[in-house]
């Protein structure tokens, strides 16, 4: 126990202490056949308290990007309301859809590196259906899709809000269909290619500082739903979270967390 606790202290001065747990698990796995009691040593009070102390003293604070707010979105929508530039229409639709449907940026755009780009993650135009008050399409694959069956993305109309997400989405689809009537992909840039992460962030930087990132859409959408008193179970289902880890996305004052905890189940 003493030797392992010294190792924990040494390692914590060279890497982030929150990562030391993973190293210890690997060490236990490798040494188990030679030292049968190594797992017990790993769980000993001395090692556990040493690791806890290192995390407290040496860990760097976690820095998360700020969430987008409805006011932020309104700035973008107002600025680009009368634009005739196709890529601006696409960017607005991606931003609003990602916020309102709690999507990850990786579910809307491709990675920058071609070796990580896969068509199995790309939503297709033919899966899109409209009703008078909603639009829905199939997300064929995502991070939380353990069964590989995909998910339905549902975007609802909000005619009484400052801007109507469904109207913005319809405007993009009209522009897209005029330009690319035979392309299968749902999201396409003016060049006829799938937008990449770099493409999206380049447009995002026109309006927001580096403290806002693509992940800010998902965090902001979850925060807005919590502020509106939506039940936690509904937020979890809408964001396709498999556990209650979604609560870390609610980035607001503790009073908002109180609102989240006590929201009535629907």
């Amino acid at each position: 126990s003493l030797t392992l606790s010294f190792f924990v202290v040494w390692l914590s001065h060279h890497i982030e202490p929150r990562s030391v747990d993973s190293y210890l698990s690997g060490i236990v796995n490798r040494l188990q056949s030679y030292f049968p009691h190594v797992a017990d040593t790993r769980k000993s009070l001395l090692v556990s308290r040493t690791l806890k102390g290192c995390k407290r003293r040496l860990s760097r604070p976690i820095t998360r990007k700020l969430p987008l707010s409805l006011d932020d979105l309104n700035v973008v929508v107002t600025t680009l309301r009368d634009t005739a530039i196709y890529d601006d229409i696409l960017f607005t639709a991606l931003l609003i859809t990602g916020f309102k449907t709690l999507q990850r940026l990786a579910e809307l755009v491709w990675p920058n590196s071609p070796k990580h780009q896969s068509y199995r993650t790309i939503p297709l135009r033919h899966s899109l259906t409209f009703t008078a008050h909603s639009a829905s399409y199939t997300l064929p694959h995502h991070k939380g899709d353990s069964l590989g069956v995909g998910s339905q993305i549902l975007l609802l109309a909000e005619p009484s809000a400052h801007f109507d997400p469904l109207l913005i989405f319809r405007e993009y689809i009209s522009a897209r269909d005029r330009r690319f009537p035979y392309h299968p992909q749902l999201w396409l840039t003016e060049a006829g290619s799938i937008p990449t992460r770099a493409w999206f962030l380049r447009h995002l930087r026109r309006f927001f500082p580096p403290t806002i990132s693509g992940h800010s859409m998902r965090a902001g959408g979850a925060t807005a739903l919590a502020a509106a008193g939506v039940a936690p179970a509904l937020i979890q289902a809408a964001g396709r979270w498999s556990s209650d880890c979604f609560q870390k996305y609610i980035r607001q004052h503790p009073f908002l967390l109180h609102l989240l905890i006590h929201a009535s189940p629907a």
Side-chain angles (χ1 to χ4, degrees):
S1 296
L2 187 61
T3 301
L4 197 56
S5 67
F6 282 143
F7 175 75
V8 167
V9 174
W10 175 83
L11 191 60
S12 296
H13 279 81
H14 291 81
I15 67 171
E16 169 56 50
R18 284 185 292 270
S19 300
V20 173
D21 275 317
S22 300
Y23 279 80
L24 293 181
S25 297
I27 290 172
V28 169
N29 182 58
R30 289 298 186 93
L31 296 181
Q32 190 80 50
S33 57
Y34 304 102
F35 303 97
H37 301 296
V38 67
D40 295 331
T41 303
R42 162 65 184 90
K43 298 175 183 177
S44 68
L45 188 62
L46 176 61
V47 174
S48 298
R49 289 189 173 180
T50 300
L51 182 56
K52 183 178 180 180
C54 287
K55 289 179 179 178
R56 183 176 299 173
R57 287 195 57 197
L58 304 173
S59 282
R60 293 181 291 275
I62 298 175
T63 56
R64 294 190 174 99
K65 298 297 184 180
L66 296 176
L68 283 168
S69 67
L70 290 171
D71 288 340
D72 293 329
L73 298 186
N74 197 39
V75 169
V76 176
V77 172
T78 302
T79 303
L80 301 179
R81 187 184 303 278
D82 299 320
T83 184
I85 300 174
Y86 176 87
D87 276 353
D88 285 346
I89 297 172
L90 168 61
F91 171 71
T92 306
L94 284 169
L95 187 70
I96 301 304
T97 302
F99 183 94
K100 291 294 183 178
T101 61
L102 306 184
Q103 289 194 73
R104 302 173 180 88
L105 182 58
E107 296 168 354
L108 294 165
V109 302
W110 251 359
N112 296 329
S113 174
K115 68 179 181 180
H116 294 138
Q117 296 170 356
S118 171
Y119 275 96
R120 71 191 185 102
T121 66
I122 299 302
L124 302 177
R125 172 64 178 87
H126 71 79
S127 71
L128 174 64
T129 58
F130 282 106
T131 69
H133 305 292
S134 69
S136 66
Y137 63 87
T138 301
L139 185 65
H141 178 79
H142 58 86
K143 181 179 178 182
D145 183 19
S146 59
L147 299 178
V149 296
S151 299
Q152 281 297 117
I153 301 299
L154 180 66
L155 183 67
L156 299 175
E158 298 180 23
S160 60
H162 289 296
F163 56 85
D164 186 348
L166 184 59
L167 179 59
I168 291 171
F169 186 71
R170 281 184 179 274
E171 289 175 352
Y172 161 70
I173 293 299
S174 296
R176 176 223 175 273
D177 288 350
R178 285 194 300 270
R179 283 175 175 262
F180 309 107
Y182 304 113
H183 284 55
Q185 303 91 338
L186 178 63
W187 302 109
L188 289 169
T189 67
E190 189 172 23
S193 59
I194 299 170
T196 62
R197 178 182 177 85
W199 180 96
F200 182 86
L201 293 180
R202 185 168 63 251
H203 284 266
L204 192 71
R205 289 291 162 264
R206 294 165 55 193
F207 298 94
F208 305 109
T211 51
I212 296 292
S213 72
H215 207 63
S216 299
M217 292 185 296
R218 190 164 161 88
T223 300
L225 289 175
V230 175
L234 291 180
I235 299 177
Q236 182 176 341
R240 302 170 302 286
W241 283 286
S242 57
S243 69
D244 61 0
C245 68
F246 79 95
Q247 295 191 24
K248 71 182 179 183
Y249 287 78
I250 312 302
R251 299 174 192 171
Q252 264 291 4
H253 193 276
F255 283 128
L256 179 54
L257 294 178
H258 175 81
L259 177 65
L260 172 69
I261 293 170
H262 293 281
S264 58

